[in-house]
Amino acid sequence: MDFNGRLFFLTTLSSLLCINATPLNVIPSAVPLELGQLCKDTENPGLCIRTILPTLHGRLDPYQALVTEIDAAAHYTRRALGIIDRLMAQPNNPKSLSDSLSTCKEQYGNILDSIQTTLGVVAKKAMYDARVSLSAAISYQQTCEDTFKESGVDLPFARQSKHIFQLTGNCLDIMRALES
């Protein structure tokens, strides 16, 4: 790619990342072209790049990048479960909070199960099946959030929930791209 082509790409990527709600703590010129291309059409391109870039050694393997993104979703799911467990252990929780936490504990356990299944399917490079499997994670995450909304209690792990949603969306977008 000539200089003008690279400049156009970097300018476009920089613009996309600046618009993004999640800041990118990487100098745009340090983002390999292949990674920028892989992440540009995802739910959150900045988060996609920030998650995958530290694990990138040599040429980009899009399937390994996808696994990295899935692993990041699992990480945030485990963090949310840790918060849920700590909150459930507190005495004197209002019933509405206890009920919501109990629902979320089950739903986030389901997310981890969905992620495990998805990793097995991705290993076989069956992207359609992987998308079907991982799509359930968004439903589980939304069920948890809805429980808190209905009870009128603020979601105590909103940051982790948002990251799970965005990472899962990134994964589904990467899977769609790999499927075509």
Side-chain angles (χ1 to χ4, degrees):
M1 176 182 287
D2 64 34
F3 175 78
N4 288 335
R6 283 184 187 201
L7 182 61
F8 175 76
F9 172 77
L10 291 174
T11 303
T12 303
L13 181 61
S14 296
S15 297
L16 283 173
L17 298 174
C18 288
I19 292 170
N20 203 313
T22 303
L24 178 65
N25 297 326
V26 178
I27 300 168
S29 62
V31 176
L33 182 61
E34 292 174 311
L35 179 57
Q37 292 286 42
L38 180 71
C39 292
K40 75 177 181 168
D41 293 326
T42 61
E43 171 80 22
N44 186 325
L47 183 60
C48 179
I49 290 169
R50 196 175 70 231
T51 305
I52 297 169
L53 187 60
T55 67
L56 190 60
H57 305 290
R59 186 171 169 86
L60 175 73
D61 175 352
Y63 292 96
Q64 185 55 47
L66 174 59
V67 167
T68 298
E69 203 76 347
I70 294 169
D71 287 343
H75 169 77
Y76 280 100
T77 304
R78 286 189 293 276
R79 286 179 69 178
L81 279 166
I83 293 169
I84 292 168
D85 287 340
R86 284 192 299 280
L87 290 172
M88 288 179 81
Q90 292 180 354
N92 303 322
N93 281 333
K95 181 169 176 16
S96 60
L97 177 60
S98 293
D99 290 347
S100 294
L101 289 170
S102 179
T103 297
C104 288
K105 183 173 175 97
E106 179 183 345
Q107 296 304 311
Y108 276 60
N110 291 340
I111 292 171
L112 285 178
D113 291 344
S114 177
I115 287 171
Q116 278 306 117
T117 301
T118 301
L119 286 169
V121 176
V122 167
K124 298 174 187 172
K125 297 185 178 180
M127 291 302 104
Y128 175 80
D129 294 336
R131 281 190 337 169
V132 169
S133 174
L134 193 59
S135 293
I138 291 176
S139 295
Y140 298 136
Q141 183 258 352
Q142 191 61 54
T143 298
C144 171
E145 282 195 11
D146 289 347
T147 301
F148 272 91
K149 285 179 189 170
E150 290 169 8
S151 70
V153 178
D154 289 336
L155 186 67
F157 44 90
R159 182 174 170 266
Q160 289 79 11
S161 182
K162 178 181 177 182
H163 276 83
I164 293 164
F165 179 81
Q166 291 176 338
L167 287 162
T168 304
N170 286 353
C171 292
L172 292 171
D173 292 336
I174 292 170
M175 288 173 189
R176 189 177 314 109
L178 291 175
E179 196 174 22
S180 28

